[in-house]
Amino acid sequence: MFAPDGVTRAHYRLLDQDIHALGAQALADRQKTLERSFLLQGITFTVYGAGSATERIIPTDLFPRIIPAAEWAVIETGLIQRLKALNLFLADIYGEQKILADGIIPRDLILGCPAYRRQMKHLFVPHQAYVNVCGSDLVRGQDGAFFVLEDNLRVPSGVSYMLANRDASRRTFPNTFREAGVRPVERYPDLLLSTLKSMAERPDAQVVVLTPGVYNAAYYEHAYLARLMGVPLVEGRDLTAHDNRVYMRTTAGLRPVDVIYRRVDDDFTDPLAFRHESSLGVAGLFNAYRAGQVVICNAPGTGVADDKAVYAYVPSIIRYYLDEDAILPNVKTFLCRESAQLSHVLANLDKLVVKAVGASGGYGMLVGPHASKAEREAFAEALKADPENYVAQPTIQISTAPCLMDGHIEPRHVDLRPFILSGEKVVVTPGALTRVALRRGSLVVNSSQGGGSKDTWVLAPSPAKLEAP
């Protein structure tokens, strides 16, 4: 919000004026109103651990994060470039595997990855859009530039919180919102539905949202998106496969399903193809998919492209398929599977962030500067025992944004999760979920680790260029 000399940045001036005009008490009241509205709407997430799963209202800060049009143009172009390259990469590794034959990426890294699905070999995917919904995590470094921290290509979540935060911030700062020229995000459900239908290449395709059920951490989002798209929300028991077709059970009988927006991990989608003990999926679903009688979005096997070790090769992937340099750079990443890099990591654990390649949600992670000596020693043993399971990155002082904390405005570290849709075409939603590390000094923004969120205002180049919501 402020430049190093303390001057308010130009795109934050309207908000700064509004904050000063309202005063501390009015801001506190509006924060309580925002939290109450989330409670009444049931906007929740679930934290697993401590012997039980606890459903909570997602902590939300009332101050929006604001991104000017010129900055967003770079982000948008970079994200489109990245997703195009990753879709081409997935089409290749499940096809002719040219990138492996050319030695750009180690063959054993891909074929040995737990997320690689041999069942996907040589299967047709419409538009080569393996990843239909992507939620890449971006951070801003000390030089002011954005870079990609990781890609989320399997079942990325958080878009419902983006939409809920927008509704709340628009009511909290109505005048500022109106005058600032904020680009709308309300069309996301329509864009998502259009993307999903484009995968079936039929405008009347029957789309469903497949959820693991009410005990899933993101169940609120599954139900929310299904309702806004106007499509059925189903569990595995609501579907059946027969003669390589998938049907939905209804009170009027069986109804054919064309597109499944799955919010279930690969392993649990079909007990005949993947985990046999799963009761969350549909027996025979993958055979129907293989026969081209149903489309699964995102496609099974996309997780190999967001593996944290594969992440280190994404700039090379972009160069290989698009003959371009990455617009949005990566964080320098050390692959512990390489002995020289492992030695460097072990010698510098107090300076690095170490991540398990297949973990998410902030789990399986060591933030070296904030860890105790005992925690670093324990992680060192884990690294030596299974080096291929870990990568390490420098600790980055990511940017901060103002948050209302116990009646005081304080800086907190933030990241940015934009949502990119890919089907017949690639579209970046002109907004994002800003995740906030609510604990003072913390760099971990995941809601499962005590993080929260706030709205993200992407400004139009001029008010005249605003799209209709």
Side-chain angles (χ1 to χ4, degrees):
M1 184 170 181
F2 300 101
D5 59 5
V7 175
T8 306
R9 298 187 190 275
H11 50 286
Y12 269 103
R13 283 176 192 154
L14 284 172
L15 180 64
D16 192 33
Q17 291 168 11
D18 211 353
I19 289 170
H20 282 90
L22 285 169
Q25 187 56 54
L27 289 173
D29 291 343
R30 294 189 183 199
Q31 178 71 36
K32 288 177 183 176
T33 300
L34 184 154
E35 292 169 356
R36 193 177 303 117
S37 72
F38 273 46
L39 178 65
L40 293 173
Q41 293 176 70
I43 302 173
T44 63
F45 70 101
T46 303
V47 175
Y48 299 111
S52 63
T54 305
E55 194 170 19
R56 301 177 184 173
I57 304 300
I58 187 165
T60 302
D61 183 71
L62 81 167
F63 298 139
R65 179 191 194 164
I66 304 177
I67 300 176
E71 284 190 356
W72 185 256
V74 175
I75 291 171
E76 184 176 43
T77 307
L79 290 173
I80 290 172
Q81 177 200 55
R82 197 171 181 97
L83 187 53
K84 282 182 177 178
L86 289 171
N87 272 324
L88 289 169
F89 168 68
L90 287 163
D92 186 13
I93 63 169
Y94 289 120
E96 297 181 24
Q97 300 184 344
K98 291 181 180 178
I99 196 169
L100 306 185
D102 290 342
I104 305 300
I105 301 178
R107 183 179 294 272
D108 66 310
L109 176 61
I110 301 301
L111 302 186
C113 176
Y116 183 78
R117 303 296 179 191
R118 287 170 174 76
Q119 298 92 332
M120 287 294 295
K121 286 276 288 177
H122 302 298
L123 290 189
F124 171 73
V125 175
H127 313 298
Q128 288 192 329
Y130 284 74
V131 182
N132 308 106
V133 182
C134 174
S136 294
D137 291 336
L138 278 62
V139 291
R140 190 199 294 272
Q142 288 176 296
D143 62 354
F146 281 96
F147 48 89
V148 180
L149 195 58
E150 64 179 45
D151 299 292
N152 296 286
L153 309 177
R154 308 180 202 205
V155 282
S157 63
V159 75
S160 61
Y161 306 129
M162 176 189 79
L163 297 173
N165 285 342
R166 171 56 52 86
D167 183 56
S169 73
R170 189 170 48 194
R171 287 185 281 107
T172 304
F173 299 104
N175 296 330
T176 304
F177 181 87
R178 205 162 33 244
E179 294 175 33
V182 183
R183 294 179 65 183
V185 296
E186 292 79 4
R187 288 187 59 228
Y188 178 86
D190 295 332
L191 293 171
L192 175 59
L193 183 59
S194 175
T195 298
L196 296 173
K197 286 189 173 183
S198 77
M199 293 297 290
E201 301 178 335
R202 281 192 16 237
D204 61 340
Q206 175 63 63
V207 177
V208 299
V209 177
L210 176 62
T211 176
V214 295
Y215 297 109
N216 183 263
Y219 179 75
Y220 163 79
E221 176 160 298
H222 307 165
Y224 183 80
L225 289 175
R227 177 169 59 83
L228 291 183
M229 287 192 291
V231 304
L233 177 69
V234 299
E235 297 180 30
R237 60 189 175 183
D238 300 317
L239 302 177
T240 186
H242 180 66
D243 287 342
N244 287 341
R245 284 302 309 263
V246 176
Y247 298 89
M248 174 175 53
R249 294 185 173 94
T250 75
T251 54
L254 296 179
R255 183 173 177 179
V257 171
D258 302 295
V259 181
I260 297 174
Y261 176 34
R262 55 111 179 185
R263 299 300 297 262
V264 178
D265 290 340
D266 285 359
D267 281 339
F268 303 101
T269 52
D270 183 345
L272 299 182
F274 303 113
R275 285 183 62 159
H276 302 315
E277 71 273 20
S278 170
S279 59
L280 299 176
V282 185
L285 171 59
F286 197 80
N287 280 341
Y289 179 63
R290 183 188 296 278
Q293 298 297 323
V294 70
V295 180
I296 303 173
C297 302
N298 290 346
T302 55
V304 67
D306 74 5
D307 180 275
K308 290 178 175 61
V310 175
Y311 160 90
Y313 293 93
V314 172
S316 300
I317 289 171
I318 292 172
R319 201 171 297 113
Y320 183 82
Y321 293 108
L322 303 179
D323 195 24
E324 300 169 357
D325 290 330
I327 296 168
L328 295 172
N330 273 20
V331 184
K332 181 176 178 57
T333 302
F334 301 100
L335 300 173
C336 296
R337 68 199 313 271
E338 306 288 342
S339 58
Q341 296 187 40
L342 173 62
S343 298
H344 174 81
V345 171
L346 290 171
N348 294 275
L349 274 180
D350 59 330
K351 305 180 188 72
L352 299 172
V353 175
V354 187
K355 303 175 181 178
V357 295
S360 61
Y363 296 104
M365 179 169 145
L366 176 83
V367 182
H370 296 170
S372 66
K373 183 180 179 181
E375 288 171 331
R376 290 196 294 269
E377 288 175 350
F379 229 86
E381 293 305 314
L383 283 169
K384 293 172 188 174
D386 188 10
E388 293 193 358
N389 190 42
Y390 295 96
V391 298
Q393 297 169 334
T395 306
I396 301 159
Q397 287 304 313
I398 60 177
S399 62
T400 60
C403 296
L404 190 65
M405 310 298 299
D406 298 323
H408 301 281
I409 300 176
E410 299 179 1
R412 290 293 185 269
H413 293 290
V414 294
D415 80 350
L416 187 75
R417 178 175 287 185
F419 294 92
I420 313 102
L421 300 173
S422 173
E424 190 174 13
K425 56 185 179 180
V426 181
V427 179
V428 180
T429 307
L433 176 69
T434 288
R435 300 188 300 171
V436 185
L438 291 175
R439 288 195 288 265
R440 181 178 295 167
S442 174
L443 298 173
V444 182
V445 299
N446 307 81
S447 57
S448 56
Q449 307 293 317
S453 71
K454 60 166 66 216
D455 192 16
T456 308
W457 291 3
V458 173
L459 304 185
S462 67
K465 294 187 178 181
L466 277 174
E467 309 101 308

